Amino acid sequence: MRTETEHTIYLKDYAASPYAIDKVELDVKIGPVTSRIRALLTITPRTETEPGTPLVLDGDELKLDSIAMDGGPLPLTAYAASATTLTVSEPPARTFVLETEVTLEPEKNVKLMGFYRSGGTWCTQCEPEGFRRITYYLDRPDVLAPFKVTMSAEKALAPVLLANGNLIDSGDLEDGTHFAVWEDPFPKPAYLFAMVAGDLGSIHDEFTTMSGRKVALGVYAAHGKQDECLWAMDSLKRSMAWDERRFGREYDLDVFNIVAVSDFNFGAMENKGLNIFNDKLVFVKPDSATDDDYYNVERVIAHEYFHNWTGDRITCRDWFQLCLKEGLTVYRDQEFTSDERSRAVKRIDDVKTLRASQFPEDGGPLAHPARPDRYKEINNFYTATVYEKGAEIVRMLATLLGEAGFRKGMDLYFERHDGDATTIEAFIRVFEDANGVDLQHFQTWYLQAGTPEVTIADSYDAASQTYKLTLSQRTAPTPGQDAKVALPIPVKFGLIGPNGSPMGWSSASGDVRGDDMLVLEGASATFEFKGVPNKPVPSLFREFSAPVRIVSAATQADRLFLARHDSDPFNRWQSLQDVAEALIVDAVAGRVWSAADVTALAEALEDTVTSKSLDPSFKALALGLPPEQLLARTIGTNVDPDRIRAVRLKLVGELVAHLAPALTAAYKENRSTAAFSPDAAQAGQRALKNQALALLVVGGAAAGAQLAREQYDGATNMTDRFVALSAAVQGWTGDAEAMLGHFRTMYTADPLVFDKWLALSASVRADGVIERIRAILADPSFPANNPNRLRSLVGSFAMGNATQFARADGAGFRFVAEFVADVDTRNPQVAARVLTAFRIWRSFEPVRMAAAEGALTALRDAGGLSRNTADILERTLAG
């Protein structure tokens, strides 16, 4: 394995580039096989740059065709060009124009970074370091310049020519080609550059901003897909209106375009004025997309649009600051969805995502701070820590400052840093200045890896009517950070009396702020409440006010009490999860639950599902037991996935034996013959109905398998059909194999629905699934270079099928390692992402742990890996 230590980049070594780029003009001639890129860069040495300092531009697999300066060709002695750099040895100590020309072959660019072709459409992906695959440049986020792009191509081959900014000229040329000139007046880093060319269909609309400007909106996609783009357009318009209402942010160009492409390494990209999307996050219609698909399209359309201000107008000084734009923008898209749908349900969904993806990252060999201080491959830091934990840090800041204080800070951020490439320190400083507070301690959240564990203890003295609550925190060592400091942790809370009503107090000591928040600043703190007439049950970390793990001596009775009486929906849900998790974890360890334990949980779940005050989407979440992966992380060591699955299935079966009548009633009551709508109300009804169905099937209820088959056959929308199929597969009913086969036959022609079949096929828990996956990969018709197909099949297996991925014989580990080695030769980003499934390998029992280590060691010893994959492998083995 190549360690490539010379490629480690350190934050402490940051320095501004010796040269600034004042203006970029690109002339792009797109041909059927090759494309020519001519770049004119207006370059100025910075004030502090010593005369004669070489100009070193970045490249990646480039070959220079020509080079000139100020209109005259450069002699060979004046420059040196390689595939990765272009060095001008003695540039003038004044502003000059450097002209270069390179030729690209987009069709052969299977890495899908830079300029490539997807399904006949030419497109770009430049974040983080893809622009250097288009032309030689100072490819770093702190070099900002306005771009003007002239594109030309055969009109019959590419009637659509799009780039960043506003269209300022276009027309036909005599040789059957045509051209378009796009100008983006806002200086931007090269990672935000975009262009698209091809024969595309489109839909169009307009949005009137709060100042009365008309903005032309377009969504472009393959012909015949226009009707599947309507929800994306609707989501875009609602996002634009929301950002004006919530943050006062008005869109700034005359046009905003979205393009859907079928081959894309990411979900989407926020290029200024021209967002390029993975088509799975644009295309939806009722008969091919689920409610989850509609939700994800709405969420990601919003996220990329919100980047216009938090990412584009204000960008990162360097890639260490990635969470500055991503964590903040995730927080903004979470708030948008909360306002558009159910705030409580959205919060639960976000925490489930955090725990599924970020907590294991924080607790494993790939742990890193939200703002890392070093990296070998920046592509490997587009992680849940940067995105999801970054959003939680912003949320804590908003919680501590309150809505008005947070808005004051954001307003100052936009005012002070518009047009800047800035840092986390500057971001924190605006909130300090706007609110007159010291947030230097809070800033540590960005700098320290790991998930704090908060231990809760309490006591009550009836004679003095005094309630004491003691909170202690500890963060375990993580790679490269053995010593941890205590973090400021906001704890939203309430005290609940014996009758289920909120309790007040006459006085409180400790850092208690108002009547609903306390703050744990140090390693431990005691909060004392006087004038409390009865022993309360504390409801802590309401709304999941901090990304921590909680250790509590609360009894199952206390948790069930909260599940029935807590006014905070998140904690009602969490309490049910805690009860079920405790039963399963104890049983895995050999402490079998009693019939009374199961009955108590079943009754609490029945109370929830039959409640008249709770909305269906919340009820659906409440019925979902903790997933196997979360249970494995709670157990932590000596993990046996087969044992966890067996115990969990046993509990599901016993609960369903109690709940079958209530589940059947919920199923029937939430069936609807109304025309499909993706709105929150209808989606919530479908969620409850389908969660009830899944439990009936997996729990072995007599009618469950038949209900699933009937729903699958009679479904009028993809949500109902796919959930019925999923339930049959997870329960592996007698019809499951036939239903899988029927689904594939029906939807093979639709790649995005085919992805659903791939993911389900990979999730089968029975032996033989690896052979099933190998056969799919070996099929000549399988698109082996498409990231969506690969992630759906092998990514789903590695990340979501623990019993087969972590087979005791090591077959699952070996299969995934072999896959990674193969795909790494074509698309290192996909390979590296799938390899992260091994981050949990040290948590397994000894036989599985040894098998995983053997697979990783064999991958290392084979050598020849990309820097992306070698970096993940090295850290995974060392952690």
Side-chain angles (χ1 to χ4, degrees):
M1 182 180 71
R2 300 182 303 177
T3 57
E4 297 194 78
T5 54
E6 70 275 17
H7 285 289
T8 301
I9 309 298
Y10 294 91
L11 174 60
K12 64 181 176 60
D13 295 333
Y14 170 81
S17 62
Y19 293 87
I21 298 180
D22 304 320
K23 185 170 64 172
V24 180
E25 295 183 71
L26 298 179
D27 184 4
V28 181
K29 287 185 165 47
I30 299 169
V33 178
T34 61
S35 296
R36 192 207 72 187
I37 313 291
R38 185 167 65 91
L40 279 80
L41 310 180
T42 302
I43 300 174
T44 301
R46 299 192 189 276
T47 304
E48 64 275 14
T49 299
E50 291 288 333
T53 299
L55 168 68
V56 182
L57 301 180
D58 300 302
D60 185 3
E61 298 182 351
L62 294 179
K63 181 178 181 298
L64 185 66
D65 295 332
S66 67
I67 182 170
M69 183 180 292
D70 293 333
L74 276 181
L76 289 173
T77 55
Y79 70 93
S82 72
T84 57
T85 58
L86 172 62
T87 302
V88 179
S89 54
E90 292 188 23
R94 55 167 174 78
T95 298
F96 60 93
V97 176
L98 183 70
E99 180 179 342
T100 62
E101 187 172 313
V102 298
T103 301
L104 306 177
E105 295 180 283
E107 195 82 46
K108 295 182 179 179
N109 184 2
V110 295
K111 290 184 179 180
L112 310 185
M113 291 294 292
F115 189 44
Y116 66 96
R117 202 170 183 190
S118 170
T121 299
W122 288 270
C123 63
T124 56
Q125 171 54 34
C126 293
E127 186 178 358
E129 296 177 340
F131 191 74
R132 65 187 64 187
R133 294 175 61 80
I134 297 173
T135 192
Y136 291 103
Y137 197 77
L138 289 173
D139 192 7
R140 44 188 289 169
D142 61 345
V143 174
L144 282 68
F147 279 64
K148 183 178 179 181
V149 183
T150 301
M151 303 169 63
S152 60
E154 293 179 24
K155 192 168 186 179
L157 195 61
V160 173
L161 300 173
L162 303 173
N164 305 92
N166 297 320
L167 181 66
I168 61 171
D169 195 10
S170 64
D172 294 333
L173 301 172
E174 293 180 355
D175 58 356
T177 64
H178 71 136
F179 73 95
V181 183
W182 293 84
E183 185 173 51
D184 185 355
F186 296 95
K188 65 173 178 284
Y191 83 85
L192 291 172
F193 171 78
M195 60 181 175
V196 172
D199 187 4
L200 298 167
S202 60
I203 62 171
H204 298 272
D205 206 331
E206 68 176 19
F207 179 81
T208 303
T209 70
M210 58 187 181
S211 68
R213 289 190 308 105
K214 299 284 188 184
V215 179
L217 309 178
V219 181
Y220 292 80
H223 287 290
K225 290 290 188 178
Q226 290 93 323
D227 63 326
E228 298 184 48
C229 300
L230 297 173
W231 179 250
M233 179 67 80
D234 179 72
S235 300
L236 173 60
K237 294 178 70 174
R238 286 185 285 115
S239 303
M240 297 175 81
W242 182 88
D243 211 16
E244 291 184 346
R245 292 194 307 271
R246 181 68 182 271
F247 287 99
R249 295 300 99 196
E250 180 176 350
Y251 186 63
D252 45 14
L253 291 169
D254 299 333
V255 61
F256 188 95
N257 288 320
I258 292 170
V259 181
V261 298
S262 57
D263 299 281
F264 205 67
N265 281 335
F266 298 91
M269 180 58 211
E270 71 267 20
N271 319 294
K272 180 74 178 178
L274 178 58
N275 287 185
I276 300 178
F277 270 64
N278 189 317
D279 59 11
K280 70 178 289 185
L281 291 167
V282 174
F283 296 161
V284 285
K285 61 179 180 179
D287 60 354
S288 62
T290 65
D291 287 324
D292 285 345
D293 296 324
Y294 277 90
Y295 163 78
N296 284 324
V297 169
E298 177 184 74
R299 175 181 62 85
V300 180
I301 290 285
H303 179 94
E304 304 306 334
Y305 173 74
F306 296 152
H307 265 312
N308 186 63
W309 278 93
T310 51
D312 294 0
R313 289 281 289 258
I314 305 176
T315 193
C316 305
R317 186 195 71 178
D318 52 72
W319 289 122
F320 297 100
Q321 321 294 330
L322 183 59
C323 65
L324 175 66
K325 75 181 184 79
E326 294 300 349
L328 176 56
T329 305
V330 169
Y331 169 78
R332 276 157 47 76
D333 82 54
Q334 289 175 349
E335 286 296 287
F336 165 75
T337 307
S338 296
D339 287 346
E340 292 290 300
R341 293 173 178 260
S342 162
R343 180 164 290 273
V345 168
K346 174 60 176 168
R347 190 66 188 127
I348 294 168
D349 276 337
D350 290 339
V351 173
K352 288 174 65 179
T353 299
L354 183 80
R355 288 173 173 164
S357 57
Q358 197 280 321
F359 274 23
E361 189 169 272
D362 239 353
L366 303 181
H368 62 88
R371 192 187 73 181
D373 62 2
R374 70 193 69 187
Y375 63 79
K376 287 186 178 179
E377 174 51 64
I378 186 56
N379 282 293
N380 291 339
F381 280 86
Y382 284 75
T383 63
T385 297
V386 164
Y387 282 71
E388 275 70 36
K389 187 173 183 178
E392 293 299 318
I393 296 172
V394 174
R395 186 172 298 279
M396 285 189 291
L397 185 61
T399 297
L400 288 166
L401 296 176
E403 184 177 344
F406 184 73
R407 175 63 190 266
K408 282 171 60 180
M410 287 301 298
D411 286 347
L412 183 57
Y413 180 62
F414 295 130
E415 176 187 337
R416 181 180 291 178
H417 292 291
D418 186 14
D420 285 355
T422 191
T423 64
I424 289 296
E425 286 83 359
F427 177 68
I428 292 297
R429 196 172 303 120
V430 297
F431 290 94
E432 291 182 319
D433 294 348
N435 291 277
V437 295
D438 184 345
L439 294 170
Q440 292 307 296
H441 186 200
F442 179 83
Q443 188 169 283
T444 309
W445 273 103
Y446 283 106
L447 310 179
Q448 182 167 285
T451 303
E453 184 177 88
V454 176
T455 301
I456 300 166
D458 65 348
S459 63
Y460 179 72
D461 181 68
S464 63
Q465 295 192 337
T466 300
Y467 176 69
K468 290 184 179 180
L469 180 67
T470 299
L471 304 182
S472 305
Q473 63 168 297
R474 174 186 175 275
T475 303
T478 57
Q481 283 190 342
D482 292 333
K484 302 293 184 180
V485 300
L487 296 164
I489 299 176
V491 183
K492 299 193 78 170
F493 80 106
L495 304 180
I496 303 175
N499 64 353
S501 299
M503 296 185 72
W505 52 86
S506 59
S507 64
S509 62
D511 193 354
V512 179
R513 305 184 186 183
D515 61 359
D516 68 346
M517 184 169 68
L518 53 87
V519 179
L520 172 61
E521 285 275 0
S524 182
T526 296
F527 306 87
E528 187 173 275
F529 301 87
K530 292 187 176 295
V532 181
N534 303 102
K535 185 179 188 306
V537 175
S539 170
L540 302 177
F541 292 97
R542 285 179 161 177
E543 301 173 19
F544 197 67
S545 56
V548 301
R549 288 189 174 93
I550 301 166
V551 178
S552 171
T555 65
Q556 293 288 69
D558 288 339
R559 291 166 175 154
L560 291 170
F561 177 83
L562 291 174
R564 287 187 168 93
H565 299 294
D566 202 326
S567 60
D568 178 58
F570 177 84
N571 273 2
R572 290 186 74 155
W573 171 82
Q574 184 64 66
S575 297
L576 290 168
Q577 295 286 297
D578 288 343
V579 171
E581 181 181 289
L583 294 179
I584 296 170
V585 170
D586 284 351
V588 169
R591 298 182 294 274
V592 181
W593 58 69
S594 68
D597 292 331
V598 177
T599 299
L601 176 56
E603 288 175 348
L605 290 169
E606 184 172 9
D607 287 350
T608 300
V609 81
T610 58
S611 169
K612 302 299 183 185
S613 61
L614 298 173
D615 73 64
S617 55
F618 176 84
K619 294 179 183 181
L621 288 170
L623 285 172
L625 269 63
E628 294 167 33
Q629 291 90 336
L630 177 61
L631 295 165
R633 289 193 296 276
T634 300
I635 293 168
T637 58
N638 207 35
V639 168
D640 179 347
D642 292 329
R643 173 68 176 159
I644 292 171
R645 177 166 173 76
V647 171
R648 185 181 183 278
L649 284 174
K650 184 174 185 293
L651 180 59
V652 172
E654 293 186 22
L655 288 172
V656 169
H658 287 264
L659 291 170
L663 294 173
T664 302
Y667 180 82
K668 292 178 179 178
E669 289 167 6
N670 286 278
R671 286 187 297 193
S672 173
T673 58
F676 178 90
S677 170
D679 67 76
Q682 256 202 35
Q685 286 185 300
R686 283 190 292 272
L688 177 54
K689 175 190 70 174
N690 288 324
Q691 180 62 56
L693 174 65
L695 284 172
L696 289 168
V697 175
V698 177
Q706 183 60 31
L707 273 179
R709 183 70 208 221
E710 290 173 357
Q711 177 167 307
Y712 177 85
D713 290 339
T716 59
N717 60 76
M718 179 54 70
T719 301
D720 287 345
R721 174 163 283 122
F722 184 68
V723 169
L725 176 61
S726 299
V729 170
Q730 295 308 309
W732 204 240
T733 67
D735 290 328
E737 188 78 70
M739 291 165 70
L740 267 175
H742 179 266
F743 192 85
R744 178 174 187 175
T745 300
M746 283 188 69
Y747 297 108
T748 298
D750 188 324
L752 297 182
V753 185
F754 183 58
D755 282 346
K756 301 179 191 302
W757 179 83
L758 293 172
L760 268 186
S761 298
S763 74
V764 175
R765 280 1 187 227
D767 288 347
V769 67
I770 295 173
E771 290 71 23
R772 180 192 299 266
I773 296 171
R774 286 189 188 278
I776 294 169
L777 289 170
D779 188 327
S781 67
F782 183 80
N785 291 328
N786 182 276
N788 286 359
R789 309 298 91 79
L790 296 173
R791 287 188 291 250
S792 295
L793 184 62
V794 184
S796 295
F797 172 79
M799 303 290 188
N801 192 345
T803 58
Q804 291 298 309
F805 170 61
R807 279 172 44 160
D809 64 4
F813 298 134
R814 290 192 296 273
F815 164 67
V816 172
E818 291 165 8
F819 169 85
V820 166
D822 175 52
V823 172
D824 188 58
T825 63
R826 306 189 301 276
N827 192 324
Q829 291 193 46
V830 171
R833 184 58 57 90
V834 171
L835 186 60
T836 63
F838 279 93
R839 65 193 174 192
I840 58 173
W841 72 275
R842 289 188 185 274
S843 69
F844 292 121
E845 50 77 30
V847 172
R848 287 175 170 85
M849 190 191 304
E853 185 174 23
L856 292 170
T857 302
L859 182 62
R860 178 197 65 193
D861 292 346
L865 295 174
S866 69
R867 193 164 75 238
N868 302 55
T869 303
D871 173 42
I872 295 294
L873 180 56
E874 179 184 354
R875 290 157 60 200
T876 300
L877 276 168

